[in-house]
Amino acid sequence: MNVHHLELFYYVARHGGISAAARRIPYGIQQPAISAQILQLEDALSTTLFHRRPFQLTSTGETLYRFIEPFFSGLPEIERSLRGGAAPRLRIGCPETVQREYLPAVLRSLRKRLPNLQFSLLSGRLEQLEQRLLAQDIDVGVSALIGKRPEGIREQELIQLPMALVVPEKSGFSAAEKIWEHDRIDVPLLTLPQSDPMCRLFQQEMRKRGIDWYPSLELGSIELVTRYVAEGYGVGLTVDAPAVNPEGTRLLPLRDFPSVPFGVIWMGTLSPVGETFVEEARSVARRMLGV
DNA sequence: ATAGTGGCGTCCGCAGAATG
DNA sequence: CATTCTGCGGACGCCACTAT
């Protein structure tokens, strides 16, 4: 039994499987290597730690996991403290749009309350943020909250923003419905990547209405969508939020489409700094809505 | 889709020799 | 005596593949 075996055992138990662990372990390692290490550990202990298919801890495995979990889960914290990091620290993940348009205000008020706060920002959208949380790369994420969170991830909704289409200012469209009133839609659609939850929600709503309109151009951020719309590439899918729509474009509300909830996600118990962050995030969201 | 196997290459630690 | 160099062997990871 060596510490490396135990570390891999920890990740496998934590993520509920070898492949899941391989995807989330914060350094590069592939599934066969983990598989072999777990077998070696079981061999060294002359016992079975996991049932396979479905992959699940045995009672021996449970015992070992209870013993090692506090050690491995506490490593990031002790590392921080050994680095002399008594200063509160928060690692925040969110899409670039949120980083640019929303986070500065939150961090401003957060730093008033915690002047020596250190923070780091990582960009990513919902699914990546969930992965980052599970891998303990970030402490909190701010994102659209569509669908169900994976096991262990908690959420707090901050704001609901209506979906909208963004069109060039000078285009003739007066309403979103006008775009799809004909049988064939000849306007290109610009969206976030199709894997994005908001994009999927939009497609789902369109299917309900019996309309086929698929993205011609997928872009990495809402800004880019709006930017390319302003350049005349087509019509974009966006949210009606203060400050995201630059000159040269105009929003068409998507009537009877669901709003997109935005909020904070985290894993396990939120640290005091994390809680302060959520409080400030909520009050900034309320101010943005003018409530 | 996920766990396990085999072959192969790489890396790392150890022991012993060489050096200052 | 401490440090550096060198060669060797084992542990481990990756890729390609099979089994379920």
Side-chain angles (χ1 to χ4, degrees), chain A residues 19 31-32 35 52-53:
Chain A
S19 298
Q31 172 264 318
S35 180
R52 272 72 166 173
R53 300 173 196 278

mmCIF file of all heavy atoms in Angstrom, chain A residues 19 31-32 35 52-53, chain B residues 1-6:
data_model
loop_
_atom_site.group_PDB
_atom_site.id
_atom_site.type_symbol
_atom_site.label_atom_id
_atom_site.label_comp_id
_atom_site.label_asym_id
_atom_site.label_seq_id
_atom_site.Cartn_x
_atom_site.Cartn_y
_atom_site.Cartn_z
ATOM 1 N N SER A 19 -13.137 5.672 -14.885
ATOM 2 C CA SER A 19 -13.150 6.625 -16.009
ATOM 3 C C SER A 19 -13.482 8.029 -15.533
ATOM 4 O O SER A 19 -12.869 9.003 -15.977
ATOM 5 C CB SER A 19 -14.169 6.202 -17.056
ATOM 6 O OG SER A 19 -13.808 4.955 -17.572
ATOM 7 N N GLN A 31 -7.073 6.153 -17.878
ATOM 8 C CA GLN A 31 -7.870 5.114 -17.218
ATOM 9 C C GLN A 31 -7.110 3.805 -16.965
ATOM 10 O O GLN A 31 -7.178 3.270 -15.864
ATOM 11 C CB GLN A 31 -9.149 4.891 -18.025
ATOM 12 C CG GLN A 31 -9.990 3.720 -17.601
ATOM 13 C CD GLN A 31 -9.689 2.483 -18.433
ATOM 14 O OE1 GLN A 31 -9.528 2.601 -19.639
ATOM 15 N NE2 GLN A 31 -9.597 1.335 -17.801
ATOM 16 N N PRO A 32 -6.360 3.235 -17.953
ATOM 17 C CA PRO A 32 -5.702 1.953 -17.679
ATOM 18 C C PRO A 32 -4.721 2.035 -16.510
ATOM 19 O O PRO A 32 -4.602 1.092 -15.729
ATOM 20 C CB PRO A 32 -4.959 1.650 -18.985
ATOM 21 C CG PRO A 32 -5.676 2.414 -20.017
ATOM 22 C CD PRO A 32 -6.155 3.667 -19.338
ATOM 23 N N SER A 35 -6.718 2.002 -13.344
ATOM 24 C CA SER A 35 -7.260 0.660 -13.197
ATOM 25 C C SER A 35 -6.203 -0.284 -12.624
ATOM 26 O O SER A 35 -6.453 -1.025 -11.666
ATOM 27 C CB SER A 35 -7.715 0.194 -14.589
ATOM 28 O OG SER A 35 -8.238 -1.084 -14.530
ATOM 29 N N ARG A 52 -17.508 -4.066 -9.101
ATOM 30 C CA ARG A 52 -17.536 -3.560 -10.477
ATOM 31 C C ARG A 52 -18.933 -3.813 -11.052
ATOM 32 O O ARG A 52 -19.541 -4.822 -10.750
ATOM 33 C CB ARG A 52 -16.506 -4.298 -11.339
ATOM 34 C CG ARG A 52 -15.107 -3.652 -11.314
ATOM 35 C CD ARG A 52 -14.402 -3.858 -10.003
ATOM 36 N NE ARG A 52 -12.955 -3.531 -10.106
ATOM 37 C CZ ARG A 52 -12.148 -3.505 -9.094
ATOM 38 N NH1 ARG A 52 -12.578 -3.757 -7.878
ATOM 39 N NH2 ARG A 52 -10.871 -3.213 -9.268
ATOM 40 N N ARG A 53 -19.352 -2.901 -11.903
ATOM 41 C CA ARG A 53 -20.632 -3.040 -12.634
ATOM 42 C C ARG A 53 -21.771 -3.452 -11.735
ATOM 43 O O ARG A 53 -22.049 -4.640 -11.694
ATOM 44 C CB ARG A 53 -20.487 -4.044 -13.773
ATOM 45 C CG ARG A 53 -19.450 -3.634 -14.749
ATOM 46 C CD ARG A 53 -19.221 -4.747 -15.749
ATOM 47 N NE ARG A 53 -17.978 -4.484 -16.443
ATOM 48 C CZ ARG A 53 -17.874 -3.644 -17.478
ATOM 49 N NH1 ARG A 53 -18.911 -3.027 -17.935
ATOM 50 N NH2 ARG A 53 -16.725 -3.446 -18.041
ATOM 51 P P DA B 1 -20.471 6.390 -25.812
ATOM 52 O OP1 DA B 1 -20.981 7.756 -25.732
ATOM 53 O OP2 DA B 1 -19.249 6.119 -26.566
ATOM 54 O "O5'" DA B 1 -20.253 5.850 -24.327
ATOM 55 C "C5'" DA B 1 -21.354 5.831 -23.443
ATOM 56 C "C4'" DA B 1 -20.947 5.026 -22.238
ATOM 57 O "O4'" DA B 1 -20.786 3.642 -22.634
ATOM 58 C "C3'" DA B 1 -19.619 5.472 -21.621
ATOM 59 O "O3'" DA B 1 -19.767 5.510 -20.212
ATOM 60 C "C2'" DA B 1 -18.627 4.396 -22.051
ATOM 61 C "C1'" DA B 1 -19.520 3.172 -22.203
ATOM 62 N N9 DA B 1 -19.055 2.231 -23.239
ATOM 63 C C8 DA B 1 -18.707 2.515 -24.536
ATOM 64 N N7 DA B 1 -18.346 1.462 -25.228
ATOM 65 C C5 DA B 1 -18.468 0.421 -24.318
ATOM 66 C C6 DA B 1 -18.242 -0.955 -24.424
ATOM 67 N N6 DA B 1 -17.827 -1.548 -25.547
ATOM 68 N N1 DA B 1 -18.464 -1.717 -23.326
ATOM 69 C C2 DA B 1 -18.886 -1.129 -22.213
ATOM 70 N N3 DA B 1 -19.140 0.158 -21.991
ATOM 71 C C4 DA B 1 -18.903 0.880 -23.095
ATOM 72 P P DT B 2 -18.553 6.050 -19.331
ATOM 73 O OP1 DT B 2 -19.151 6.755 -18.192
ATOM 74 O OP2 DT B 2 -17.551 6.697 -20.195
ATOM 75 O "O5'" DT B 2 -17.902 4.708 -18.783
ATOM 76 C "C5'" DT B 2 -18.712 3.795 -18.063
ATOM 77 C "C4'" DT B 2 -17.895 2.555 -17.796
ATOM 78 O "O4'" DT B 2 -17.687 1.833 -19.025
ATOM 79 C "C3'" DT B 2 -16.496 2.849 -17.236
ATOM 80 O "O3'" DT B 2 -16.320 2.082 -16.058
ATOM 81 C "C2'" DT B 2 -15.542 2.426 -18.340
ATOM 82 C "C1'" DT B 2 -16.369 1.342 -19.034
ATOM 83 N N1 DT B 2 -15.990 1.070 -20.433
ATOM 84 C C2 DT B 2 -15.825 -0.244 -20.822
ATOM 85 O O2 DT B 2 -15.981 -1.183 -20.062
ATOM 86 N N3 DT B 2 -15.474 -0.411 -22.135
ATOM 87 C C4 DT B 2 -15.275 0.570 -23.072
ATOM 88 O O4 DT B 2 -14.961 0.278 -24.218
ATOM 89 C C5 DT B 2 -15.462 1.923 -22.615
ATOM 90 C C7 DT B 2 -15.268 3.057 -23.551
ATOM 91 C C6 DT B 2 -15.807 2.104 -21.333
ATOM 92 P P DA B 3 -15.058 2.261 -15.140
ATOM 93 O OP1 DA B 3 -15.565 2.472 -13.778
ATOM 94 O OP2 DA B 3 -14.121 3.234 -15.734
ATOM 95 O "O5'" DA B 3 -14.398 0.821 -15.218
ATOM 96 C "C5'" DA B 3 -15.145 -0.297 -14.765
ATOM 97 C "C4'" DA B 3 -14.403 -1.565 -15.110
ATOM 98 O "O4'" DA B 3 -14.330 -1.677 -16.558
ATOM 99 C "C3'" DA B 3 -12.959 -1.619 -14.601
ATOM 100 O "O3'" DA B 3 -12.739 -2.878 -13.994
ATOM 101 C "C2'" DA B 3 -12.110 -1.418 -15.845
ATOM 102 C "C1'" DA B 3 -13.003 -1.946 -16.962
ATOM 103 N N9 DA B 3 -12.808 -1.275 -18.240
ATOM 104 C C8 DA B 3 -12.908 0.066 -18.499
ATOM 105 N N7 DA B 3 -12.673 0.392 -19.749
ATOM 106 C C5 DA B 3 -12.402 -0.827 -20.351
ATOM 107 C C6 DA B 3 -12.079 -1.166 -21.669
ATOM 108 N N6 DA B 3 -11.960 -0.274 -22.659
ATOM 109 N N1 DA B 3 -11.866 -2.473 -21.955
ATOM 110 C C2 DA B 3 -11.982 -3.369 -20.958
ATOM 111 N N3 DA B 3 -12.287 -3.168 -19.673
ATOM 112 C C4 DA B 3 -12.484 -1.862 -19.437
ATOM 113 P P DG B 4 -11.312 -3.257 -13.383
ATOM 114 O OP1 DG B 4 -11.563 -4.221 -12.297
ATOM 115 O OP2 DG B 4 -10.565 -2.012 -13.137
ATOM 116 O "O5'" DG B 4 -10.598 -4.027 -14.574
ATOM 117 C "C5'" DG B 4 -11.171 -5.245 -15.051
ATOM 118 C "C4'" DG B 4 -10.321 -5.792 -16.172
ATOM 119 O "O4'" DG B 4 -10.390 -4.881 -17.296
ATOM 120 C "C3'" DG B 4 -8.824 -5.934 -15.836
ATOM 121 O "O3'" DG B 4 -8.416 -7.244 -16.203
ATOM 122 C "C2'" DG B 4 -8.148 -4.865 -16.682
ATOM 123 C "C1'" DG B 4 -9.102 -4.742 -17.862
ATOM 124 N N9 DG B 4 -9.071 -3.450 -18.547
ATOM 125 C C8 DG B 4 -9.341 -2.216 -18.015
ATOM 126 N N7 DG B 4 -9.239 -1.246 -18.890
ATOM 127 C C5 DG B 4 -8.874 -1.893 -20.063
ATOM 128 C C6 DG B 4 -8.624 -1.360 -21.355
ATOM 129 O O6 DG B 4 -8.666 -0.182 -21.719
ATOM 130 N N1 DG B 4 -8.285 -2.366 -22.267
ATOM 131 C C2 DG B 4 -8.209 -3.703 -21.963
ATOM 132 N N2 DG B 4 -7.870 -4.512 -22.956
ATOM 133 N N3 DG B 4 -8.449 -4.209 -20.760
ATOM 134 C C4 DG B 4 -8.770 -3.246 -19.869
ATOM 135 P P DT B 5 -6.933 -7.773 -15.948
ATOM 136 O OP1 DT B 5 -7.017 -9.189 -15.581
ATOM 137 O OP2 DT B 5 -6.231 -6.813 -15.064
ATOM 138 O "O5'" DT B 5 -6.281 -7.666 -17.406
ATOM 139 C "C5'" DT B 5 -6.886 -8.377 -18.482
ATOM 140 C "C4'" DT B 5 -5.946 -8.368 -19.683
ATOM 141 O "O4'" DT B 5 -6.042 -7.084 -20.358
ATOM 142 C "C3'" DT B 5 -4.466 -8.574 -19.351
ATOM 143 O "O3'" DT B 5 -3.937 -9.513 -20.275
ATOM 144 C "C2'" DT B 5 -3.853 -7.187 -19.525
ATOM 145 C "C1'" DT B 5 -4.747 -6.582 -20.610
ATOM 146 N N1 DT B 5 -4.870 -5.101 -20.577
ATOM 147 C C2 DT B 5 -4.670 -4.402 -21.746
ATOM 148 O O2 DT B 5 -4.384 -4.930 -22.807
ATOM 149 N N3 DT B 5 -4.831 -3.050 -21.640
ATOM 150 C C4 DT B 5 -5.150 -2.332 -20.504
ATOM 151 O O4 DT B 5 -5.256 -1.117 -20.534
ATOM 152 C C5 DT B 5 -5.345 -3.121 -19.312
ATOM 153 C C7 DT B 5 -5.697 -2.443 -18.027
ATOM 154 C C6 DT B 5 -5.204 -4.452 -19.412
ATOM 155 P P DG B 6 -2.439 -10.084 -20.057
ATOM 156 O OP1 DG B 6 -2.456 -11.526 -20.345
ATOM 157 O OP2 DG B 6 -1.882 -9.587 -18.771
ATOM 158 O "O5'" DG B 6 -1.675 -9.336 -21.251
ATOM 159 C "C5'" DG B 6 -2.285 -9.296 -22.547
ATOM 160 C "C4'" DG B 6 -1.317 -8.648 -23.523
ATOM 161 O "O4'" DG B 6 -1.549 -7.210 -23.540
ATOM 162 C "C3'" DG B 6 0.163 -8.826 -23.186
ATOM 163 O "O3'" DG B 6 0.872 -9.026 -24.411
ATOM 164 C "C2'" DG B 6 0.555 -7.520 -22.504
ATOM 165 C "C1'" DG B 6 -0.366 -6.516 -23.204
ATOM 166 N N9 DG B 6 -0.762 -5.364 -22.393
ATOM 167 C C8 DG B 6 -1.062 -5.347 -21.053
ATOM 168 N N7 DG B 6 -1.400 -4.168 -20.612
ATOM 169 C C5 DG B 6 -1.310 -3.347 -21.734
ATOM 170 C C6 DG B 6 -1.548 -1.963 -21.869
ATOM 171 O O6 DG B 6 -1.899 -1.162 -21.008
ATOM 172 N N1 DG B 6 -1.327 -1.537 -23.173
ATOM 173 C C2 DG B 6 -0.935 -2.332 -24.209
ATOM 174 N N2 DG B 6 -0.780 -1.742 -25.398
ATOM 175 N N3 DG B 6 -0.703 -3.634 -24.100
ATOM 176 C C4 DG B 6 -0.914 -4.070 -22.827
#
